[in-house]
Amino acid sequence: MKLHQQYLLLHGQLGDTTEHTLTLADLAELLDCTHRNTLTVVKKMAALGWIHWHAQRGRGRRSVLSLLAPADQIAAEYMMQAMDRRELQEAADQVRAFSSSLSMQHYLNQWLLGYSGHHTESGTNNESIDTLRLPIRQQLHALDPLYINLLAESFVTSHVYDGLVQRDEHGQILPALAHTWDVSDNRLTWIFHLRKGVYFHSGKPLSASDVVFTFERLQATELRTLYREVSKRILSVDAVAPLTVRFQLNKPHELFLSFLTTSRAVIVPSGLSANTAASHSERKRIQSRQIPIGTGPFKVTFWDNHMCRLEAYPMYFQGRALIDRVDILQIPWITADKREEYQDLHYGTNEAVESPFFHLMLNPSSTSGTGWTQASSGVTVTKLLTCNTQKPGPLNDPGVRAYLQQCIDVISASLVGTTDMMNSFARSTDKQEIVLNIATIPQYRLDAEQLALALYPYGFSCTIHTGGMEQFKGDWRLESDLILFSLIQDRDEELRRYDMYATMSEHLDPFSKAKVRQMMQSIAVSPHIADRKQVLDEVERFLITEHLMFSLSHKPVETAYLPTVRGLSFNSQGWVNLRHIWFPSKELE
């Protein structure tokens, strides 16, 4: 046991009292070591000024132990040493134990400032390796595109895989793994022609069989995947030639090409190993934790519970990345602020908090300093609340929904006054509480708690239920009255809105569901973007007018960067494109 751990053990056993009377045998028992080793430990701690040991000679005589060093200081020192040794689990344990300590946060932030950003390292042959180190709050649970749910996972996979087509930062759909494509007049048959000379990170050449495998795997999954409303239109996919793939749809869908630009439609190799675990959950866990193999600009060379290493793939068909390596350090305990950064791949985010990245900072605060330049990715996040009117309850009453809307408007605008309807309710002693259940995911629980607290004075009694992403995407949410989530509005906004309204229709009353579904059908067959947007806006107006959907906040996503960062650009989801990042030589500074 390390000396820091032994001191923290003593502090934990003896408490905050400064002086303690005990025998050497008592101390040896606390430290679980021999008398001789105990004396050595005491001498070392005394020499460091952590303790004062006033020994009393004679068997059974009680000595006086004074604990001089604050426990959080020792824990912070131990955390720093563990971080330097990359023993991240031990470091995490100390940070969690002293999460409210300002000393701990100071030490941690100082370490992160030194660790993060651009570093030049030496390779095995003394070659220079340009490395970008990025700490993130989220744990990477999966990097297989079939299983990803979190935005951190999407960020990594966007650099590891490619799709048949891609969307640029202006929203235009461009060739990617397919250099061109054809579509039949009836919009049911789509043929994609693959590039020659594209290789997976394993060295395997890309072929049409990989595309067939990818989409057959997607269609066969029991998971409720993102954009399922579009992907289920795929009737068949087959390889008509080694580099030619044909999709047959059961019905035309004008968002099919947009779907192919998303993270759910990236191509995985047909040799992706299967597993024979007994349960579906166990198969999912094993599959999702495998090292991913794609065709993207970076390949994953290391991945565990704390770090993911990306290295530039020299054979990338669109050109090698300018930086050699990206180390993504997963530190969910990065600051004392308990709010999480972008969590849910589908529905978005809580308030993003400042991260002490040395060169790149997501959603920076206004106090980031004059040396930072802010750039907007053009992405916004809208936090939403929707009503489950399929479930019998108070929200089946349009008047209750209208009253809820007025309350939310007042709360969101931080208004001092109240409406006549709200005053009428507050004055009416004969009215019963409106009891509601709010469903959300754990990352949004704080938002749900704040909303419930704000609604309480207006007669609402809200209970909050949180469930994992797989639960949230399934029927679990239908047991609640209100559903809290958020929508990312990026270059795929049209597809995201379509998918969101299709999902929302599942928890609407029969009339509202039929109305939304009817409008959604016209979107699927409309060839013009402007016409589709008009219908999407009509769906939104209907949901708002009927008080079935409430907007809680709307915020842009921004990135701050230092002048040392060159080549900053964003992909269609608003991610910084790591392939284009580079750093001038330090000799020029």
Side-chain angles (χ1 to χ4, degrees), residues 354 361 364-374 560-564:
E354 180 177 324
M361 189 180 296
S365 72
S366 58
T367 59
S368 296
T370 56
W372 293 87
T373 300
Q374 291 198 19
Y561 61 97
L562 289 174
T564 47

Side-chain angles (χ1 to χ4, degrees), residues 82 86-94 96 139 305-306 333:
R86 300 295 188 269
E87 296 174 355
L88 300 180
Q89 186 57 55
E90 293 187 23
D93 291 342
Q94 298 308 314
R96 290 191 184 102
Q139 179 93 26
N305 289 332
H306 299 287
W333 24 270

